[in-house]
Amino acid sequence: MAKFQTSPETRSVRLLKVGEQVRHILSELLTRQEVHDDVLSAHTVSVTEVRMSPDLRHATVFVKALLGEDEEIVLKALRTNTAFFQREVAQRLRLKYAARLKFLPDESFDEASRIEQLLSDPKVLRDLED
């Protein structure tokens, strides 16, 4: 039997799809407060992105607490409950291997604010108007 050939494009689409499924599962768990943690119950946490490794064994989860409050405390609570999240993701996705989750703060909002501030600088505005 011939083996199905995959191109880098199809692999990346698969990684994106699985990452998006993991993001939805984690968001649902946090929204429904299925994890029994006082810190996570008290804070609203957004899962902004999940990046999967090519072998689907590792997932980097980018999270942001609402308004950026107590970000370190929320990250610590997420990391403490990593085993629960990994078990739930593995059960719901039914992949060959359970992905190991790594929670990191999402810095993209801070970077966007910094760029916006640079673009609103009078020196830059002067150059943009010409």
Side-chain angles (χ1 to χ4, degrees):
M1 180 178 356
K3 191 172 186 180
F4 180 74
Q5 296 294 326
T6 59
S7 67
E9 292 83 15
T10 57
R11 280 196 303 262
S12 65
V13 169
R14 181 168 188 240
L15 293 177
L16 291 172
K17 284 182 180 180
V18 173
E20 201 51 28
Q21 289 175 333
V22 171
R23 187 182 74 78
H24 281 284
I25 291 169
L26 292 173
S27 295
E28 183 179 324
L29 291 171
L30 290 167
T31 302
R32 294 186 178 180
Q33 297 181 354
E34 292 184 27
V35 58
H36 302 291
D37 189 291
D38 295 333
V39 173
L40 295 177
S41 297
H43 292 83
T44 303
V45 181
S46 295
V47 180
T48 56
E49 183 182 3
V50 176
R51 292 183 190 160
M52 301 299 295
S53 66
D55 62 359
L56 299 176
R57 291 189 183 203
H58 299 278
T60 305
V61 181
F62 293 94
V63 295
K64 187 76 172 172
L66 184 66
L67 303 176
E69 297 176 347
D70 304 326
E71 194 166 288
E72 288 302 317
I73 296 170
V74 170
L75 277 172
K76 184 177 179 186
L78 287 168
R79 290 173 181 155
T80 302
N81 293 295
T82 299
F84 169 78
F85 289 119
Q86 287 177 182
R87 184 173 56 250
E88 288 295 317
V89 168
Q91 286 176 354
R92 295 179 188 204
L93 278 185
R94 297 186 188 116
L95 292 174
K96 185 174 183 177
Y97 300 103
R100 295 192 55 147
L101 303 178
K102 179 180 177 183
F103 292 97
L104 294 176
D106 187 0
E107 304 293 335
S108 63
F109 295 107
D110 300 332
E111 185 66 18
S113 297
R114 187 183 73 76
I115 291 171
E116 185 66 33
Q117 186 177 23
L118 286 173
L119 290 174
S120 64
D121 184 21
K123 294 177 186 176
V124 174
L125 285 176
R126 180 190 66 214
D127 291 341
L128 291 176
E129 289 175 0
D130 292 340

